[in-house]
Amino acid sequence: MTWVTIDRLQKTPLIRQIYTQLRTKILNGEFSAGYRLPSTRQLAEELEVSRNVVLEAYEQLLAEGFLEGHTGAGTFVAEGAYLKKTDPITPFMMEKKLSKMNYDSIIDFRSGIPALDLFPRKQWGQIVKRVSIETDHSLFGYDSPEGRIEFRTVLADYLLRTRGVECHPEQLVITSGATQAFTLVAKLLLSPNDKVIIEDPITHEIQTIFQSYGASLFPIKVDEYGMVTTQIPTEIKPAFIFVTPSHQFPMGGTLPIQRRIHLIEFARKVGSYIIEDDYDSEFRYEGPAVSSLQGLDPKRTIYIGTFSKILSPALRLGYLILPPSLIERGRRLKYFSDLHTPSIEQLSLALFIKEGYLEKHIFRMRKIYRKRRDFLKEQLCKKFGDRVRIHGDSTGLHLVAEFDEIYFTDSLLSKIYGNGVKVYPVELHTINKGFYTNQIILGFGYLNEAQIKEGITKLEMSVNN
Amino acid sequence: MTWVTIDRLQKTPLIRQIYTQLRTKILNGEFSAGYRLPSTRQLAEELEVSRNVVLEAYEQLLAEGFLEGHTGAGTFVAEGAYLKKTDPITPFMMEKKLSKMNYDSIIDFRSGIPALDLFPRKQWGQIVKRVSIETDHSLFGYDSPEGRIEFRTVLADYLLRTRGVECHPEQLVITSGATQAFTLVAKLLLSPNDKVIIEDPITHEIQTIFQSYGASLFPIKVDEYGMVTTQIPTEIKPAFIFVTPSHQFPMGGTLPIQRRIHLIEFARKVGSYIIEDDYDSEFRYEGPAVSSLQGLDPKRTIYIGTFSKILSPALRLGYLILPPSLIERGRRLKYFSDLHTPSIEQLSLALFIKEGYLEKHIFRMRKIYRKRRDFLKEQLCKKFGDRVRIHGDSTGLHLVAEFDEIYFTDSLLSKIYGNGVKVYPVELHTINKGFYTNQIILGFGYLNEAQIKEGITKLEMSVNN
C-alpha cells in the first residue's frame, strides 16, 4: 500500500502525519463511506512504526467521527464525512496601512506623534517587569471593566493636580486610547438622527465615529479662540456638544472662560452633555496648563484624556470621566466592548505616575517640543517670509501654517509627497469645505531639527517650482 | 487684604495657589465684572512673594479670559466669567464589580479562569522588558489596526501547527480579547432583525452582544456532541451560525465531522457565515487537539481565538481570522473601535511563542488541569455517588455536573454561596429556559486540590441540609 507516507525528518509527530493524511483522504472522498481501513497492526508494520502510533491516529479519527469501529469487524470510514472542496485561498498581500506611517524614507509632518526615540523605554521595561514579578497573582485574572482601582486613584490625583479636573476614581473608566472613549460616548448618548454640535474643523476620525452611530453633525465654526459659541442656534437640542477647549484640533485655539460658561449655560438649558476632548494640553509652552472645562461643571461634562501624546500611542491607554448618572452604563458598555483594558499595563502606568516618572518625562519633553516648535517657526519664516502665518502654536505637538496664495490641492500635495515630504491639509478635517484651502497642519513632535529643516526646504521647493 | 492666602507648606506652587483663589472668586461672583485688582507690585508685597509670582498668576488669568488689562489703567475682572454653581459631586462608593471575583474568601467554581498563580510571570516580565528596551523605536508609535506583522506571522504558524487552522497572516486581526472579536463580528455581519443561529445553551454574554446589535437569536439545542445540526430549519436564512465546535460552552461536546460538514453545506446553500469560537481547546485531555472547523472551509468561516485561557485574561489578547472578502472591513472596524491593540504586548507574545515558552506552558498546564479535573470528578463521585453525572470533561477548564433531583434554584444557590461556595447554573446560559435546572458548571482551572475538596464538601452539605 502506498497511500500513507511518513517523513521522519519532519517536525510534525508521526501520529499527526498519519491522522492528517487519512483525514484528508476521507474529506475529499478518496476513501468513501464504508471503506474498510487496514488493521492497526497491519498498517504499523507497513509503515514501520509502533502500533501505538497508528492506534492513536485511528482513535483520534474515531473521536472526531471520521471512522466507525465495529468490535471484531474492523474500522470503517463513516457516513457524511465527505466535503466538496472549494478553491483554496491563495496567498495574497494586502498589507495596506490604514494608519501606519513610514518613519524612514519620508519626512512626515503628521500631527500627534510624540518623539518615539525619547520614550523612556528602560524605565518602562523595568516597571513592567517589576509589576509582572511582584504583584499578587490575582493581577493575571479578569478585572473590572472600569479599570484597576490603583490606576484610577493615581490618575484622579494626577488630573486634579495638573489639570484642575475634579473627579473621584469611581467616575473613571480606563479605555483603549481616546478612540475607544469616543465610541463609548457615542454608544452612551447617541440615538439615530440625534444632533451633535461640533467644532469645524475637527479631527476627521471623530466625525466618522459619531456619524457611524447615526448622529448628524451640526458644525460650528472655529476662530483663533476655538468654537464660536455665539453661533450655536438657541433652538437646537443636541445629544451633546463636542469640544477641544484646551487646544482646538487642528486650529489650536484655547477657549476663553466666557465661551466655556456660555457652553455650560447652553447645555444646562437644553439638558445636554458636553464632551471635552483634552488630547495634548500637557504641552503648554506659554504659562501653566489651562484648567479643564470639566472642573466648571462635572455633572454635565464628560472628559476624555489619553496617554498617547504624553507617553506613547502604542500603549493604547486613555480614559473617560463620567458624571455619576452615566457611570453604571459606561462600565457596562466597556464590559461588552472588551471586558477591560490590559491590567499589567494599567498597573505599570500607575507606578510610573506615582513614582514621578511621568511628570519628569513631560517636563523634559515640553522643553524639547518647545525647541522643535520654535525651530519649525523659524524655518517657516526663513523660507516663506511674509507669505506664512502661524496659528495655534501655544500648546501641543502641531501648529497650523497659513500661506498667501498657496492652495493645497491634491496635485500640490502629490508633488510635495513626491519630493519626500508629507503635510496634512486642514481641509481634511473640515465639515463645511473650502475655507481652509491655504492652510496645513504641521506636527513637529517626533521630528528632529535636521528633519524639520529638510522638510520645510523641500516644501518650499515643491511650492515654488 | 485677607482675600488671598498662601500656604508655603503646600505642594502646590505659589503661582497656582494665587491663580486658583482668584479664579474661584471670579467664577462664583465674589469678584464681579469690572472689579479692579490690586497691582501686581501691591499684591506681591502683601503676600510677601516675588512680584513675578503674582505676574504669572495674572497672566494666566488674562490668557484664559478671566481678567482684562488696560495698559496704564490696571487689571479688571472681565465680563461673562461668572458661572452659577450646581451642587458638587459628593464622594460616593460604587465599586460594584461586574466581573471581578473574590479570589480569597469564597471558593469560586467560575469557569474559564486559568491557574493564575502559575502564570509564567518571570518569563513574561523579562520578555516585555527585552521588547521595551531592544525594539526599534517605531514600536512606540501608532500601529496597524490588524496588529503587528511579527505577531500575526508567528500566530498563523502556531495555529496551523496546533489547531489545523489555515490562514495567512493577512487574514488575522488582533483584538482586545475574544469579546472584542464578538463585537467586531456583530458589526461586520449584523443588521437589525437579522437572524443568528446559535447553540442553546451558550455563554450569556455572547447572546447579549449579538442582541445588542439587533440580532434575533434562533437557538438550536445541544446534545453531548454539541449543536444538533439536523434541527436547523431549512427555510431559515441567518446572518451567521455561531458554534463552539471544539468544546461546546457550557455542555462540553465536540462536534463530529458529520455535523461540521452539515453546517458548512447549509451555510454554503443559504450563503451565510459560520463563526467558530475556539476558547480553550488547547487543553484536550483525551487524544490530540481536534482540528478546527475553519480548516474545512476557510472562505466561509470566521475563527475566534483567545489567549485568556491558555495564558492570562489580563493580557486582553485575542484574534479573529477573516475570509479574504471581509478583511478590509474588519480592519476598518477595528480601527474605528480603538485604532489597534497595544503593541508591546503583541510583540512580547510573538516572542513568547517563537521561543517555545507558550507550548511549554500549555504542555505543563495540561497535566496540571488534567489532575485537577480528575480530582474534581473523584470528589463529586465520593460525595454524590450515583446521584451525579459528569458531562463535557474531555477538554478545557470546566465540566458540567448533572444531579438527580437537585434543582439549582436561586434559594439553593444563595444557600451554597452562604456556605462559602459559588457555582454557576447552566440555566444562566440557556435561551429556552427550564431544561437544565439540575445542572451546574464547575470550573477547576485555578482551584487547587484542597480548594476543590473543600468546595465539593460544602456543596454537598448545602444540598443535603
Side-chain angles (χ1 to χ4, degrees):
Chain A
M1 275 185 24
T2 53
W3 46 268
V4 175
T5 55
I6 56 173
D7 178 355
R8 286 170 206 274
L9 298 174
Q10 250 190 283
K11 248 179 89 186
T12 318
L14 295 178
I15 299 170
R16 194 87 193 162
Q17 290 188 33
I18 298 170
Y19 160 84
T20 308
Q21 288 178 62
L22 289 174
R23 182 175 180 277
T24 306
K25 282 174 202 291
I26 296 169
L27 272 174
N28 67 23
E30 234 176 287
F31 291 176
S32 49
Y35 178 86
R36 182 183 177 147
L37 261 67
S39 72
T40 52
R41 184 183 310 270
Q42 188 189 340
L43 187 55
E45 269 176 27
E46 284 181 29
L47 298 175
E48 296 180 347
V49 299
S50 130
R51 191 178 158 211
N52 273 338
V53 166
V54 180
L55 214 56
E56 281 211 36
Y58 276 31
E59 264 168 22
Q60 179 72 6
L61 290 163
L62 279 156
E64 293 186 23
F66 286 94
L67 301 177
E68 292 175 323
H70 305 294
T71 326
T75 310
F76 301 85
V77 172
E79 290 281 345
Y82 161 67
L83 177 68
K84 196 164 164 269
K85 261 277 176 202
T86 52
D87 299 335
I89 294 179
T90 47
F92 53 103
M93 274 306 296
M94 39 184 317
E95 281 295 317
K96 215 163 126 198
K97 298 283 175 286
L98 248 173
S99 79
K100 192 156 184 179
M101 47 192 293
N102 194 328
Y103 293 95
D104 299 322
S105 60
I106 284 266
I107 294 175
D108 191 335
F109 283 98
R110 181 167 159 185
S111 62
I113 316 275
L116 306 178
D117 54 336
L118 299 175
F119 177 78
R121 47 165 82 217
K122 216 166 153 182
Q123 287 157 357
W124 184 256
Q126 270 156 354
I127 280 189
V128 177
K129 186 178 161 195
R130 240 172 74 198
V131 164
S132 301
I133 292 179
E134 293 171 12
T135 314
D136 179 81
H137 65 247
S138 65
L139 172 68
F140 306 115
Y142 286 101
D143 217 305
S144 321
E146 66 271 21
R148 300 283 298 183
I149 180 66
E150 301 94 327
F151 182 36
R152 287 181 289 121
T153 307
V154 168
L155 186 53
D157 277 357
Y158 167 79
L159 289 171
L160 181 63
R161 196 167 64 240
T162 65
R163 306 281 307 109
V165 166
E166 285 197 26
C167 78
H168 299 283
E170 289 74 22
Q171 290 175 261
L172 277 162
V173 175
I174 307 302
T175 59
S176 178
T179 302
Q180 188 179 50
F182 299 141
T183 66
L184 290 176
V185 160
K187 284 189 200 172
L188 261 177
L189 300 181
L190 288 180
S191 307
N193 303 319
D194 272 0
K195 281 195 182 56
V196 166
I197 291 184
I198 196 164
E199 295 159 346
D200 178 17
I202 186 70
T203 322
H204 183 72
E205 274 95 342
I206 294 174
Q207 299 173 35
T208 309
I209 290 172
F210 293 155
Q211 283 171 327
S212 79
Y213 284 90
S216 77
L217 304 181
F218 194 97
I220 301 290
K221 84 166 196 197
V222 148
D223 66 14
E224 58 179 311
Y225 301 110
M227 182 186 275
V228 183
T229 53
T230 49
Q231 300 208 347
I232 299 175
T234 47
E235 70 284 1
I236 198 174
K237 206 183 163 320
F240 58 81
I241 304 152
F242 184 89
V243 276
T244 52
S246 298
H247 187 221
Q248 205 280 327
F249 189 89
M251 298 309 293
T254 302
L255 205 64
I257 186 66
Q258 287 75 11
R259 294 193 189 177
R260 292 173 188 236
I261 288 174
H262 186 214
L263 270 186
I264 290 171
E265 284 173 346
F266 171 78
R268 283 178 184 174
K269 202 187 69 195
V270 298
S272 68
Y273 288 99
I274 298 171
I275 316 298
E276 174 174 21
D277 175 19
D278 189 3
Y279 58 99
D280 71 355
S281 71
E282 285 86 352
F283 298 123
R284 188 165 175 84
Y285 309 117
E286 267 110 56
V290 174
S291 290
S292 69
L293 194 155
Q294 189 269 357
L296 295 173
D297 195 343
K299 282 188 182 165
R300 203 155 277 288
T301 313
I302 297 175
Y303 179 94
I304 294 175
T306 174
F307 290 92
S308 293
K309 323 295 177 197
I310 56 177
L311 206 49
S312 158
L315 300 176
R316 311 302 314 122
L317 283 169
Y319 50 92
L320 201 57
I321 301 175
L322 296 171
S325 55
L326 295 175
I327 292 174
E328 265 314 303
R329 278 190 57 228
R331 290 180 178 181
R332 201 178 143 80
L333 286 173
K334 168 68 180 169
Y335 180 78
F336 284 107
S337 299
D338 58 7
L339 302 190
H340 63 83
T341 295
S343 319
I344 303 176
E345 277 199 334
Q346 287 186 58
L347 211 50
S348 301
L349 187 47
L351 232 70
F352 194 81
I353 297 175
K354 210 170 156 187
E355 300 190 351
Y357 291 116
L358 181 68
E359 273 157 284
K360 238 179 258 172
H361 181 65
I362 292 174
F363 184 77
R364 175 180 174 221
M365 297 313 293
R366 193 185 289 129
K367 282 200 278 194
I368 292 170
Y369 294 143
R370 186 207 302 264
K371 265 191 79 182
R372 292 183 175 182
R373 177 197 68 155
D374 292 343
F375 187 78
L376 171 59
K377 285 166 69 174
E378 204 182 290
Q379 291 299 310
L380 282 167
C381 288
K382 214 161 156 181
K383 295 290 172 193
F384 293 94
D386 283 355
R387 295 179 65 193
V388 70
R389 277 173 305 286
I390 311 289
H391 303 292
D393 62 323
S394 70
T395 305
L397 303 180
H398 75 272
L399 53 79
V400 167
E402 179 179 7
F403 296 86
D404 280 341
E405 284 165 44
I406 301 175
Y407 301 98
F408 294 89
T409 57
D410 286 351
S411 76
L412 179 54
L413 290 167
S414 309
K415 194 174 157 196
I416 297 169
Y417 192 75
N419 286 331
V421 177
K422 195 154 185 207
V423 296
Y424 296 80
V426 172
E427 282 289 322
L428 253 181
H429 303 287
T430 54
I431 300 173
N432 289 316
K433 295 290 174 193
F435 298 100
Y436 294 87
T437 49
N438 62 338
Q439 303 190 34
I440 52 174
I441 305 162
L442 296 169
F444 51 79
Y446 76 105
L447 297 175
N448 60 37
E449 296 196 353
Q451 290 168 314
I452 291 172
K453 188 170 178 178
E454 190 186 334
I456 298 302
T457 305
K458 286 182 171 171
L459 175 67
E460 194 263 348
M461 270 171 41
S462 319
V463 161
N464 289 333
N465 276 296
Chain B
M1 271 178 40
T2 53
W3 46 269
V4 175
T5 55
I6 56 172
D7 177 355
R8 287 171 205 274
L9 298 174
Q10 250 189 282
K11 251 180 85 185
T12 318
L14 295 179
I15 298 169
R16 194 88 194 162
Q17 290 189 33
I18 297 170
Y19 159 84
T20 309
Q21 289 177 61
L22 288 175
R23 182 176 180 276
T24 306
K25 281 172 204 292
I26 296 168
L27 273 173
N28 67 22
E30 235 176 289
F31 291 176
S32 49
Y35 179 87
R36 181 181 179 151
L37 262 65
S39 73
T40 52
R41 185 184 306 269
Q42 188 190 343
L43 187 56
E45 269 175 28
E46 284 180 31
L47 298 174
E48 295 178 350
V49 299
S50 126
R51 193 180 155 205
N52 273 337
V53 166
V54 180
L55 214 56
E56 281 209 36
Y58 276 31
E59 264 167 23
Q60 180 72 6
L61 291 163
L62 279 157
E64 293 186 24
F66 286 94
L67 301 178
E68 292 176 322
H70 305 294
T71 328
T75 310
F76 301 84
V77 172
E79 289 281 342
Y82 160 68
L83 176 69
K84 199 167 163 263
K85 261 278 175 200
T86 53
D87 299 335
I89 294 179
T90 49
F92 53 102
M93 275 305 296
M94 39 183 320
E95 280 296 315
K96 215 162 128 196
K97 299 281 174 288
L98 249 174
S99 78
K100 190 155 184 180
M101 47 193 294
N102 194 329
Y103 293 94
D104 298 320
S105 59
I106 284 266
I107 293 174
D108 191 335
F109 283 98
R110 182 170 158 181
S111 62
I113 316 275
L116 305 179
D117 53 337
L118 299 174
F119 176 79
R121 48 165 83 217
K122 217 166 153 181
Q123 288 157 357
W124 184 257
Q126 270 155 354
I127 280 189
V128 177
K129 186 178 160 193
R130 239 173 75 199
V131 164
S132 301
I133 291 179
E134 293 171 12
T135 315
D136 178 80
H137 65 247
S138 65
L139 172 68
F140 306 114
Y142 286 101
D143 217 304
S144 320
E146 65 271 22
R148 299 283 298 182
I149 180 66
E150 302 94 327
F151 183 36
R152 286 181 290 120
T153 306
V154 168
L155 186 53
D157 278 356
Y158 166 80
L159 289 171
L160 181 64
R161 194 165 65 240
T162 64
R163 305 283 305 108
V165 166
E166 286 197 24
C167 78
H168 298 285
E170 289 75 21
Q171 292 175 260
L172 277 161
V173 176
I174 307 302
T175 58
S176 177
T179 302
Q180 188 180 49
F182 300 140
T183 66
L184 289 176
V185 161
K187 284 187 201 174
L188 260 177
L189 301 180
L190 288 179
S191 306
N193 303 320
D194 273 359
K195 282 195 183 53
V196 166
I197 290 185
I198 196 163
E199 296 160 345
D200 179 18
I202 186 70
T203 323
H204 182 72
E205 273 96 342
I206 294 174
Q207 300 173 34
T208 310
I209 290 172
F210 293 155
Q211 284 171 325
S212 78
Y213 284 90
S216 76
L217 304 181
F218 195 97
I220 301 289
K221 82 166 196 197
V222 149
D223 65 14
E224 59 181 310
Y225 301 110
M227 182 186 274
V228 183
T229 54
T230 48
Q231 300 208 348
I232 299 175
T234 47
E235 71 284 1
I236 197 173
K237 205 181 162 323
F240 59 81
I241 304 152
F242 183 89
V243 276
T244 52
S246 298
H247 187 220
Q248 204 279 329
F249 188 88
M251 299 310 292
T254 301
L255 205 67
I257 186 66
Q258 287 75 10
R259 294 193 189 177
R260 291 173 189 237
I261 288 174
H262 186 213
L263 269 187
I264 290 171
E265 284 173 344
F266 172 76
R268 284 179 183 172
K269 203 186 68 195
V270 297
S272 68
Y273 289 98
I274 299 171
I275 317 299
E276 174 174 23
D277 175 20
D278 189 3
Y279 58 99
D280 71 357
S281 70
E282 286 86 352
F283 298 123
R284 188 164 174 87
Y285 310 116
E286 266 110 56
V290 175
S291 291
S292 69
L293 194 155
Q294 189 268 358
L296 296 172
D297 195 343
K299 282 188 183 164
R300 203 157 278 287
T301 312
I302 297 176
Y303 179 94
I304 294 175
T306 174
F307 290 93
S308 293
K309 324 293 178 197
I310 56 178
L311 206 49
S312 157
L315 300 176
R316 310 305 312 123
L317 283 170
Y319 50 92
L320 202 55
I321 301 175
L322 296 172
S325 55
L326 295 175
I327 293 174
E328 266 313 304
R329 277 190 58 228
R331 290 180 178 182
R332 202 180 142 80
L333 286 172
K334 169 67 180 171
Y335 181 78
F336 284 107
S337 299
D338 57 7
L339 301 191
H340 64 82
T341 294
S343 319
I344 303 176
E345 277 199 336
Q346 287 186 57
L347 210 52
S348 301
L349 187 48
L351 232 71
F352 194 82
I353 297 174
K354 210 171 158 185
E355 300 190 352
Y357 291 115
L358 182 68
E359 273 157 283
K360 236 179 260 172
H361 181 66
I362 292 174
F363 184 78
R364 175 181 174 221
M365 297 313 294
R366 193 186 288 127
K367 282 201 277 194
I368 292 170
Y369 293 143
R370 186 206 301 266
K371 264 191 80 182
R372 290 181 179 185
R373 177 197 69 153
D374 292 345
F375 187 79
L376 171 59
K377 285 166 69 174
E378 205 182 291
Q379 291 300 309
L380 281 167
C381 288
K382 213 162 159 181
K383 295 290 173 191
F384 293 94
D386 283 356
R387 296 180 65 193
V388 71
R389 277 173 305 286
I390 311 289
H391 303 291
D393 62 324
S394 70
T395 304
L397 303 180
H398 75 272
L399 53 78
V400 167
E402 180 179 7
F403 296 86
D404 281 341
E405 285 167 45
I406 301 176
Y407 302 98
F408 294 88
T409 56
D410 285 352
S411 77
L412 178 54
L413 289 166
S414 307
K415 193 174 158 195
I416 296 169
Y417 191 75
N419 286 331
V421 177
K422 194 153 184 205
V423 296
Y424 296 80
V426 172
E427 282 289 322
L428 254 180
H429 302 287
T430 53
I431 300 172
N432 289 316
K433 295 290 173 191
F435 297 101
Y436 294 87
T437 49
N438 63 338
Q439 304 190 32
I440 52 174
I441 305 162
L442 295 169
F444 50 79
Y446 76 104
L447 296 175
N448 61 37
E449 296 196 352
Q451 290 168 314
I452 291 173
K453 187 170 179 180
E454 190 186 333
I456 298 303
T457 306
K458 285 182 171 171
L459 176 66
E460 195 262 348
M461 268 172 41
S462 318
V463 162
N464 289 333
N465 276 295

